[in-house]
């Protein structure tokens, strides 16, 4: 039987004959019982009864040729395909170049045939018209009005905006670096050939299946990120902070289940829990009013005002008791005054108050044999003993504070605490010591 081949005019693009390895020319033979891939033979090998592996000379076969007319008796199917390829390569209207590429037809013949059968053909025109009308009828009731949108941001690589968006590129709707970014590397050296054994072929197919599973996991993660709006993590964190602390804890716990229930259901669950928390808090407040014998909201406002006043008086009495407790000891009194000054200025108290629980403070640190002790002067050794800080760590903190002070021209306590991630009281003592000894200056 005759079949239309799909080869181009370039001989190197045609598959080779399985028997003699020469490039096939039409007509050629295709075995109907072998494949995939299909076993192709030239006429010479077919007439010799060539056999290869499972292919036998008595198998059914098909004659592959395109030497028959399709639209015009003077044009074969091969010439029709060559014309379409030439127009695609040279462009519509460049008929001289099209004729030069075809080699079998003139410029006028190419133009006339193409315009008659591919442009002005009523069969093709009616088919395209029907497809267009069907598409318009399909989208007539579901059309969405067009609204101009802002140009999407295009952050440069390694910019702050690109880092905040986790490498997402809105203009491409994709990420700079994919999940499992090097999954394709496992396929770069795989080549399926007919001489592969069954085991080797099965191993290659297993590698392809693994690659498909990795692609599915990549798409699943991207879908979760897009559905839940996780691209801008900072904006997502700001939205979380609008909830009370208890709801934020639940949000953090339930986040791992968001990919199962979906974004809308997950948000409904969190919002309903936040509403439940507000209702419980309001019920508790109303129960407190009922316990106090309040029956209207006017009395409730008075009750809240008096409650706040009583709380302030209680704090003042607590402060007075602390003064009376430490007034006998001058050093303890000075510590208390400094602590209250820090509280009034909005800072955390730098001097811990002694407790009455009988707990003894830790003894000074013994620096004997510790690395870096020989690099300290007597005052620095005394500081390390009192704050229980090993000399090596103190030297690192001192170097960091000195470098930052030289860069900024001065250093504040808040900056020192940001540089040294240790106990704030130890940081305050190190900062005060360096200021007092003239190593750094206060900003």
């Amino acid at each position: 039987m005759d079949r239309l081949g799909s080869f181009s005019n370039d001989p190197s693009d045609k598959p080779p004959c399985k028997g003699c390895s020469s490039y096939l020319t039409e007509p050629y033979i295709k075995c109907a019982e072998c494949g995939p891939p299909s076993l192709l033979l030239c006429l010479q090998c077919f007439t010799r009864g060539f056999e290869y592996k499972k292919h036998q000379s008595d198998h059914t076969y098909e004659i592959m040729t395109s030497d028959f007319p399709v639209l015009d008796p003077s044009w074969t199917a091969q010439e029709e395909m060559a014309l379409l390829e030439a127009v695609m390569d040279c462009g519509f209207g460049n008929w001289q170049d099209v004729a030069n590429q075809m080699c079998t037809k003139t410029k006028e013949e190419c133009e006339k045939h193409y315009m008659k059968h591919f442009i002005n053909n009523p069969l093709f025109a009616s088919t395209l018209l029907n497809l267009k009308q069907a598409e318009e009828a399909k989208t007539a009731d579901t059309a969405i009005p067009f609204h101009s949108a802002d140009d999407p941001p295009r952050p440069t690589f390694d910019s702050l905006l690109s880092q905040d968006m986790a490498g997402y590129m809105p203009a491409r709707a994709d990420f700079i670096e994919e999940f499992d970014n090097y999954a394709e590397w496992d396929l770069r050296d795989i080549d399926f050939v007919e001489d592969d054994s069954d085991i080797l072929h099965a191993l290659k197919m297993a590698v392809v299946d693994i690659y498909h599973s990795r692609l599915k996991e990549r798409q699943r993660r991207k879908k979760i990120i897009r559905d839940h709006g996780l691209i801008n993590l900072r904006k997502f964190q700001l939205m979380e902070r609008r909830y009370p602390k208890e709801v934020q804890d639940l949000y953090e716990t339930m986040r791992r289940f968001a990919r199962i229930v979906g974004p809308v259901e997950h948000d409904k669950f969190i919002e309903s829990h936040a509403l439940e928390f507000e209702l419980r808090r309001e019920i508790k407040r109303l129960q407190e009013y009922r316990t106090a014998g309040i029956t209207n909201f006017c009395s409730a406002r008075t009750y809240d005002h008096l409650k706040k006043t009583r709380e302030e008086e209680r704090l003042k009495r607590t402060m007075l008791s602390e003064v009376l407790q430490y007034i006998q000891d001058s050093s303890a009194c000075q510590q208390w005054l400094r602590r209250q000054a820090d509280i009034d200025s909005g800072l955390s108290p730098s001097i811990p108050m002694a407790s009455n629980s009988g707990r003894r403070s830790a003894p000074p640190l013994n620096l004997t044999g510790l690395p870096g002790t020989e690099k300290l002067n007597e005052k620095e050794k005394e500081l390390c003993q009192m704050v229980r800080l090993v000399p090596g760590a103190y030297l690192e903190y001192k170097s960091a504070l000195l470098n930052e002070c030289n860069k900024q021209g001065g250093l504040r306590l808040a900056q020192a605490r940001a540089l040294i991630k240790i106990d704030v009281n130890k940081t305050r003592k190190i900062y005060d010591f360096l200021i007092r000894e003239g190593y750094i200056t206060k900003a």
Side-chain angles (χ1 to χ4, degrees):
M1 66 185 72
D2 291 344
R3 293 295 179 89
L4 179 62
S6 59
F7 301 151
S8 65
N9 293 327
D10 187 0
S12 61
D13 292 340
K14 299 180 180 180
C17 172
K18 181 57 67 176
C20 60
S21 300
S22 62
Y23 291 119
L24 292 172
T25 58
E26 296 180 355
Y28 59 93
I29 305 301
K30 173 184 176 183
C31 180
E33 300 183 20
C34 298
S38 302
L39 188 138
L40 306 178
L41 296 174
C42 63
L43 294 180
Q44 290 77 12
C45 294
F46 175 73
T47 55
R48 291 199 307 266
F50 175 80
E51 294 183 349
Y52 177 77
K53 289 187 177 180
K54 298 180 180 180
H55 172 68
Q56 302 296 324
S57 59
D58 59 350
H59 281 179
T60 57
Y61 61 91
E62 300 175 0
I63 301 176
M64 309 299 292
T65 181
S66 58
D67 189 17
F68 55 89
V70 178
L71 301 175
D72 192 309
S74 61
W75 284 69
T76 64
Q78 182 67 30
E79 290 175 333
E80 298 282 1
M81 291 187 296
L83 174 63
L84 296 177
E85 292 178 359
V87 172
M88 185 180 299
D89 294 339
C90 303
F92 178 78
N94 299 321
W95 302 114
Q96 186 60 53
D97 295 337
V98 171
N100 294 338
Q101 181 169 327
M102 287 194 60
C103 300
T104 59
K105 299 292 181 180
T106 64
K107 168 185 174 182
E108 291 75 13
E109 290 175 337
C110 294
E111 180 179 4
K112 180 180 178 181
H113 183 82
Y114 191 87
M115 297 299 295
K116 177 181 178 180
H117 294 284
F118 295 101
I119 300 298
N120 300 324
N121 192 332
L123 176 62
F124 292 162
S126 61
T127 302
L128 294 175
L129 180 61
N130 293 336
L131 291 176
K132 182 177 180 181
Q133 291 176 350
E135 185 67 20
E136 291 177 352
K138 181 180 178 180
T139 59
D141 298 334
T142 60
I144 300 176
F146 172 78
H147 298 287
S148 59
D150 295 335
D151 190 52
R154 291 178 171 84
T156 58
F157 183 69
D158 283 343
S159 64
L160 182 59
L161 180 58
S162 178
Q163 295 176 6
D164 290 342
M165 299 177 67
Y168 184 73
M169 297 175 290
R172 280 178 47 188
D174 212 338
F175 291 87
I176 296 177
E177 183 173 348
E178 298 281 3
F179 169 76
D180 202 357
N181 199 45
Y182 299 99
E184 289 76 9
W185 282 27
D186 295 338
L187 299 179
R188 57 182 177 177
D189 297 327
I190 292 182
D191 186 18
F192 288 89
V193 295
E194 295 183 7
D195 297 337
D196 288 343
S197 63
D198 295 339
I199 296 178
L200 182 58
H201 183 79
L203 288 175
K204 292 181 178 179
M205 293 302 300
V207 173
V208 174
D209 292 338
I210 293 173
Y211 171 68
H212 285 166
S213 64
R214 296 166 77 177
L215 287 185
K216 290 179 181 179
E217 177 63 17
R218 179 186 295 175
Q219 295 299 325
R220 186 186 71 86
R221 290 173 178 258
K222 290 167 68 173
K223 185 176 184 301
I224 292 175
I225 291 176
R226 289 168 176 164
D227 291 346
H228 291 269
L230 302 178
I231 294 177
N232 195 333
L233 184 59
R234 182 175 300 179
K235 182 179 179 181
F236 187 76
Q237 292 173 344
L238 291 177
M239 293 178 62
E240 285 185 2
R241 293 173 185 170
R242 61 191 177 95
Y243 295 115
K245 181 64 170 61
E246 294 79 0
V247 181
Q248 291 183 18
D249 295 339
L250 176 70
Y251 207 117
E252 182 68 25
T253 304
M254 297 301 297
R255 181 179 298 167
R256 66 196 68 179
F257 302 105
R259 64 180 185 273
I260 301 175
V261 299
V264 178
E265 290 76 9
H266 178 69
D267 290 342
K268 286 182 179 180
F269 175 79
I270 298 299
E271 289 291 340
S272 61
H273 188 80
L275 178 60
E276 178 187 358
F277 176 79
E278 294 293 336
L279 292 176
R280 287 181 179 273
R281 186 166 60 180
E282 185 67 17
I283 291 173
K284 184 177 179 180
R285 188 171 69 93
L286 294 176
Q287 289 176 343
E288 181 183 359
Y289 291 157
R290 178 59 60 89
T291 304
I294 298 173
T295 57
N296 55 71
F297 287 105
C298 181
S299 301
R301 286 192 292 270
T302 305
Y303 172 80
D304 290 337
H305 176 71
L306 295 176
K307 180 181 178 181
K308 182 179 179 180
T309 304
R310 288 195 299 269
E311 185 67 23
E312 293 176 352
E313 293 294 334
R314 187 185 64 80
L315 291 177
K316 291 180 180 179
R317 288 195 299 271
T318 303
M319 293 171 59
L320 181 60
S321 63
E322 290 181 356
V323 173
L324 295 176
Q325 179 181 353
Y326 295 106
I327 197 66
Q328 304 298 331
D329 187 353
S330 59
S331 62
C333 184
Q334 291 294 330
Q335 289 183 358
W336 184 87
L337 292 175
R338 293 177 185 173
R339 180 171 180 269
Q340 293 303 317
D342 290 340
I343 295 176
D344 294 339
S345 60
L347 302 175
S348 59
S350 59
I351 302 176
M353 301 300 298
S355 67
N356 295 328
S357 59
R359 183 177 177 181
R360 300 177 60 184
S361 59
L365 179 65
N366 185 7
L367 303 181
T368 304
L370 292 180
T373 306
E374 68 280 359
K375 300 179 181 180
L376 305 180
N377 56 35
E378 294 301 325
K379 292 184 179 180
E380 290 177 329
K381 292 180 181 178
E382 182 180 356
L383 173 68
C384 291
Q385 290 175 345
M386 296 304 298
V387 300
R388 298 185 60 80
L389 191 65
V390 295
Y394 165 76
L395 292 174
E396 291 181 5
Y397 300 152
K398 176 183 176 182
S399 176
L401 295 178
L402 288 176
N403 292 335
E404 187 67 18
C405 181
N406 293 333
K407 291 180 182 178
Q408 304 294 337
L411 193 66
R412 292 184 288 109
L413 178 59
Q415 294 173 322
R417 287 175 175 169
L419 290 173
I420 304 177
K421 304 297 184 181
I422 58 174
D423 182 68
V424 293
N425 295 323
K426 291 184 178 182
T427 305
R428 177 59 181 263
K429 291 180 180 179
I430 296 174
Y431 177 79
D432 291 342
F433 173 80
L434 296 178
I435 290 289
R436 186 168 58 252
E437 296 298 323
Y439 290 107
I440 60 176
T441 57
K442 185 180 296 186

